Amino acid sequence: MKEYILSTALREIFREHNYAQDFFSSIGISDASVGLGIEAFLNTLDDSCLDDCGMEREQIVSHFILFMEKMAELKEKPDFTISEIAVVGGHDKSGNSENITLTMKPGEIISIVGPTGSGKSRLLADIECLAQGDTPTGRHVLLNGKAPAYDKRFSVEHKLVAQLSQNMNFIMDLTVGEFLAMHAESRMAPDIEYIVKTIAQCANELAGEKFTMKTAVTALSGGQSRALMIADTALLSRSPIVLIDEIENAGVDRKKALELLVKKEKIVLMATHDPILALMGNKRIVIRNGGMSKIIETGNVERENLELLQHMDARIVELRNRLRNGGKIDFNVGDFFELEKVR
Amino acid sequence: MRFITVSGPPSSGKTSVILKTLEAIRTETHRVGIVKFDCLSTYDDQLYMKAGFPVKVGLSGNLCPDHFFISNVEACIDWAYRKKLDFLISESAGLCNRCSPHIKEVLAVCVIDCLSGVNTPKKVGPMLKLADIVVITKGDIVSQAEREVFCFKVKQANPKAFITFVNGITGQGAFDLAVKLKGAPDVFNLEGKRLRFSMPAALCSYCLGETRIGEDYQTGNLKKMDFEDVV
């Protein structure tokens, strides 16, 4: 890459790599598209112009080479796939050994349950920083059965975890279409137009209320934002693990959302107290006093109960829509839910 | 002793990031101290003191904050040696977005926040572009996609840096940063070392206290905007 850059005219580099020009505009040089190589070009600029850029000639050259290398790296597929992630137990807040190994495979949903303050976020943080016995819990995280290489551990390019937090604010002053295109560009996606369309379509299937490509991201409702983020993470993010803080019921088809992530071979970790979400998991991990105290596989009876709960949930949604459309709930709700009267 | 310079726009979360990160370092019996540089006033020293760290404050007043920093930094190192510190952190605000206290062979950290807008990484000068580590804060307030876009823009502005996210409230990510800070090079003294980039040129009549407006009062190093095309 270094030789290519030093020996090629900038105009040529810009033609082959559309993002290269960005580098120069970001240091304040707007007219770098010339028939000269970078070194020769920088020599045509006077010193006061470079002072304004905030970098010396050699710094600009070495930064540009690194920039091009990093961008090229982003285009490459990750160099290995994750077939299994394991969290080997450390100890809880009182120092008692956890004695548990939590293994997770792509396409699995694992819910995390436990009282507030019990250590759920600590577990998520351990996974996020790929703990190697060096966090307060003493846990180890293994990828495909092995400790991850040190340089992989702390690099943004290799982040294993995409986090869908409860905060879903957008601050950028962009439309949905522009925003998704910007994100796709930063991911070096090959066919931006196609991926943008797919994500928007997918998000609209998850959201209760529809939005268009021209809707401003700041104007999306809570449910629409969540739907957009879930679709975006499933289709554009390379991180194999998705951390979710509780998906609220409002405005997002939660079942479809999880199905989408699972279909994309994500490992979904979800902190939740919602019985429907918790039972949707293949297993759930119980956190107590800062430690993993139990792993419960979702049983057959639980699965049957899940169907019933989902059926009731769908009924609640129907009631909600009825209210939304100005209707009344003045019929026999017991019959509606197919329940024995409890009063 | 490890010496680390931390800079970043005002209110980007430098103090919170430093406090959370030092908690992770301190557990290993390292002695850590801080020098806080600011212009007019600061309250951050109280936060550091409350957390039990020795702290010194330097206020530049009406001097260029960067010039003030660099003419005092050696004394800071001496102070840290007298205090027998293992780590010294200097914290300063990049008030003109160009100021950079970064010194060659001294670990340089720049803190920048997600809320400052997606073009901010392009607008910040050597403070961001020549830092070894860029810490992005307030990531929890925006969506995953915006975090990623912001991170990408930082990477474009400084492809060399190690980029990491730290939540200044919960401390998420502070552990990663602590690991990096522990690897900072050992600094014995700064004599003969160089800044990574020259300070903003400041040598005109206004630097010396001139307050009147007009060509007659402007002497020294001046630069005029170009309005040719407006004719």
Side-chain angles (χ1 to χ4, degrees), chain A residues 52 128 150 154 156 183, chain B residues 147-148 162-163 172 179 223:
Chain A
D52 290 345
E128 205 191 6
Y150 186 83
F154 295 116
V156 170
H183 189 206
Chain B
R147 273 198 297 279
E148 285 177 13
F162 168 78
I163 304 167
Q172 191 178 354
V179 170
K223 188 161 84 173

Side-chain angles (χ1 to χ4, degrees), chain A residues 12 21 72 92 99-100 159 161 166 181 212 222 225 253 291 321 335:
Chain A
E12 203 57 41
Q21 190 136 21
D92 68 8
N99 277 330
I100 277 184
K159 272 273 174 240
V161 176
Q166 269 157 342
T212 70
S225 306
D253 189 327
N321 284 336
D335 289 347

Side-chain angles (χ1 to χ4, degrees), chain B residues 28-154:
Chain B
E28 297 168 38
T29 67
H30 292 301
R31 274 184 59 80
V32 193
I34 295 112
V35 188
K36 167 81 193 190
F37 283 92
D38 224 319
C39 284
L40 299 177
S41 66
T42 187
Y43 299 96
D44 295 339
D45 51 332
Q46 292 170 15
L47 294 171
Y48 289 122
M49 271 189 279
K50 219 161 85 187
F53 297 109
V55 56
K56 267 278 171 208
V57 168
L59 296 178
S60 58
N62 71 338
L63 296 183
C64 163
D66 250 9
H67 293 214
F68 177 77
F69 167 84
I70 210 66
S71 45
N72 282 285
V73 68
E74 284 184 276
C76 299
I77 301 276
D78 290 343
W79 172 75
Y81 269 107
R82 284 202 304 279
K83 284 260 176 198
K84 296 196 167 52
L85 301 181
D86 303 308
F87 279 89
L88 175 67
I89 312 261
S90 81
E91 182 195 336
S92 56
L95 297 143
C96 61
N97 270 343
R98 186 186 179 294
C99 289
S100 87
H102 306 329
I103 301 163
K104 287 180 184 167
E105 297 153 62
V106 171
L107 189 72
V109 180
C110 174
V111 180
I112 182 166
D113 79 78
C114 275
L115 299 184
S116 61
V118 74
N119 289 320
T120 299
K122 289 191 177 187
K123 295 182 198 163
V124 181
M127 175 168 78
L128 172 78
K129 295 197 175 89
L130 301 179
D132 300 306
I133 298 176
V134 179
V135 176
I136 305 174
T137 56
K138 306 182 194 174
D140 57 323
I141 301 177
V142 299
S143 62
Q144 167 80 17
E146 282 195 50
R147 273 198 297 279
E148 285 177 13
V149 171
F150 195 82
C151 179
F152 176 73
K153 299 277 175 187
V154 169

Side-chain angles (χ1 to χ4, degrees), chain A residues 109-238:
Chain A
I109 302 173
I110 292 125
S111 31
I112 304 172
V113 296
T116 312
S118 61
K120 291 194 293 275
S121 3
R122 184 68 251 177
L123 175 64
L124 297 181
D126 279 345
I127 295 170
E128 205 191 6
C129 77
L130 298 172
Q132 293 304 316
D134 44 13
T135 61
T137 58
R139 291 181 185 128
H140 288 78
V141 177
L142 308 178
L143 303 181
N144 300 340
K146 283 194 294 255
Y150 186 83
D151 58 326
K152 292 267 174 355
R153 209 178 144 190
F154 295 116
S155 88
V156 170
E157 284 84 26
H158 297 94
K159 272 273 174 240
L160 287 176
V161 176
Q163 192 166 6
L164 294 173
S165 51
Q166 269 157 342
N167 294 312
M168 269 302 142
N169 301 310
F170 290 99
I171 55 160
M172 289 184 194
D173 192 9
L174 297 172
T175 64
V176 169
E178 289 165 340
F179 174 75
L180 289 175
M182 192 182 228
H183 189 206
E185 266 169 42
S186 82
R187 285 269 161 199
M188 297 276 156
D191 187 347
I192 290 176
E193 207 178 313
Y194 170 76
I195 190 84
V196 167
K197 221 174 77 193
T198 319
I199 294 172
Q201 213 166 21
C202 201
N204 264 316
E205 279 166 30
L206 301 179
E209 295 156 274
K210 305 283 173 237
F211 56 88
T212 70
M213 288 285 202
K214 293 215 167 66
T215 311
V217 286
T218 46
L220 296 175
S221 73
Q224 287 171 330
S225 306
R226 287 223 127 199
L228 184 61
M229 273 308 82
I230 290 165
D232 174 280
T233 304
L235 297 163
L236 207 47
S237 168
R238 279 193 192 161

